[in-house]
Amino acid sequence: MSKPQSQPQETAVYTHGHHESVLRSHTWRTAANSAAYLLGSLKPHMRIMDIGCGPGTITADLAELVPDGHVTGVDRAPGILDQARATAAERGLGNVEFAVADIHALDFPDDTFCVVHAHQVLQHVGDPVQALREMHRVTRPGGYIAVRDADYLAMAWYPASAGLDDWLDLYRRVARANGGEPDAGRRLKSWALRAGLTDITATSSTWTYADAGEPAWWSGLWADRTLASAYADRATEGGHATGAQLRAVSEAWREWGRQEDAWFTVPHGEILCRKAA
């Protein structure tokens, strides 16, 4: 069965864009550090869809984990798929392909994939419940819907920084003005229930930046992102911050990252849903 033609299309604006400062963190992501909750359910023969694949590092890892299967990586931004294809080619992967797609209306038949995975995606979409319905639709009976999203309000850091407090307030306002939900992690189970999903396992995990070099790396990419990415443009064009305020936030990130005892944690909500056989 083909997708219903009446389903809504994407309405949110992707807050971050694909500036180098954004891809600096996206290319750091692996299946191990971003999808560990899913890996125990994978089998070598599985057919997987990776939604919002970005530069393709997680997608390539999944392809390596299903050597007798196949992975389809999809993203709304055609340009980033060139980098994803290059990532797969560099690793010599022949069981992966990439395509443009909208999570609200996936152009794939019902019951196509053994696993449908989305990492850091639902926080940026206009209708996460509809997105989960679509993920469920294209999942085979007995297969898995796997979703992981950060929760900005639950992020924590040390030492305290008034500038980072300003950053968090600003980011959450910009993300919501763009049609997204920055505190998505805590809402995943609720959205899944509203989408009619059952057999839901809800978990959480974190990224923590505290070891040598990690706080400086994390603070540096956010300092750059605050000034030079699509997020910066949307903050100023939407009237959420002035250029001077963004420069102050950027410098607060750099100052925090220079602290010897700097520590930052990013909590994530996760759901692994089994589709009824």
Side-chain angles (χ1 to χ4, degrees):
M1 181 187 300
S2 299
K3 65 181 179 66
Q5 296 302 308
S6 61
Q7 290 177 349
Q9 301 295 306
E10 174 66 87
T11 56
V13 175
Y14 180 46
T15 296
H16 297 286
H18 293 99
H19 184 263
E20 181 279 329
S21 60
V22 178
L23 296 181
R24 205 182 308 166
S25 61
H26 287 190
T27 54
W28 166 85
R29 298 172 183 174
T30 65
N33 68 29
S34 300
Y37 71 103
L38 166 63
L39 302 188
S41 300
L42 298 184
K43 306 297 181 186
H45 67 277
M46 283 182 160
R47 186 174 183 186
I48 300 174
M49 170 180 270
D50 185 25
I51 300 176
C53 64
T57 52
I58 296 175
T59 319
D61 283 353
L62 293 174
E64 290 181 342
L65 292 168
V66 292
D68 302 322
H70 188 272
V71 179
T72 300
V74 301
D75 203 286
R76 287 192 68 231
I80 196 61
L81 294 179
D82 291 337
Q83 185 168 341
R85 292 186 183 100
T87 298
E90 288 169 4
R91 293 166 66 166
L93 296 168
N95 64 333
V96 60
E97 63 181 351
F98 297 93
V100 176
D102 173 8
I103 193 173
H104 293 93
L106 296 168
D107 195 16
F108 295 87
D110 294 0
D111 306 337
T112 298
F113 299 96
C114 305
V115 176
V116 179
H117 168 262
H119 182 262
Q120 309 287 41
V121 174
L122 293 194
Q123 64 183 281
H124 297 296
V125 307
D127 188 345
V129 174
Q130 171 61 23
L132 284 163
R133 291 191 185 110
E134 273 292 272
M135 293 176 72
H136 182 268
R137 180 184 66 78
V138 300
T139 301
R140 293 176 178 174
Y144 296 93
I145 299 95
V147 180
R148 184 176 191 255
D149 267 279
D151 192 305
Y152 276 76
L153 186 60
M155 292 183 186
W157 56 85
Y158 186 87
S161 166
L164 264 62
D165 291 342
D166 291 341
W167 158 77
L168 182 58
D169 174 71
L170 173 63
Y171 179 84
R172 293 174 74 237
R173 286 189 284 113
V174 172
R176 290 203 168 111
N178 287 339
E181 175 45 70
D183 307 334
R186 68 187 65 191
R187 291 170 164 81
L188 295 182
K189 181 179 178 181
S190 175
W191 288 340
L193 290 169
R194 288 167 56 192
L197 276 60
T198 58
D199 196 359
I200 303 168
T201 300
T203 55
S204 64
S205 61
T206 63
W207 293 332
T208 299
Y209 304 103
D211 291 340
E214 291 179 346
W217 176 79
W218 182 245
S219 65
L221 67 87
W222 268 107
D224 292 343
R225 192 181 301 190
T226 299
L227 294 181
S229 69
Y231 159 65
D233 295 336
R234 286 159 188 156
T236 54
E237 291 169 5
H240 305 288
T242 65
Q245 288 170 325
L246 291 182
R247 289 190 291 274
V249 168
S250 178
E251 180 51 38
W253 268 114
R254 294 195 187 282
E255 174 61 26
W256 173 84
R258 288 191 284 265
Q259 305 307 306
E260 183 180 10
D261 55 352
W263 176 95
F264 198 106
T265 190
V266 181
H268 295 81
E270 303 157 343
I271 53 170
L272 187 63
C273 310
R274 191 83 180 264
K275 185 172 180 176

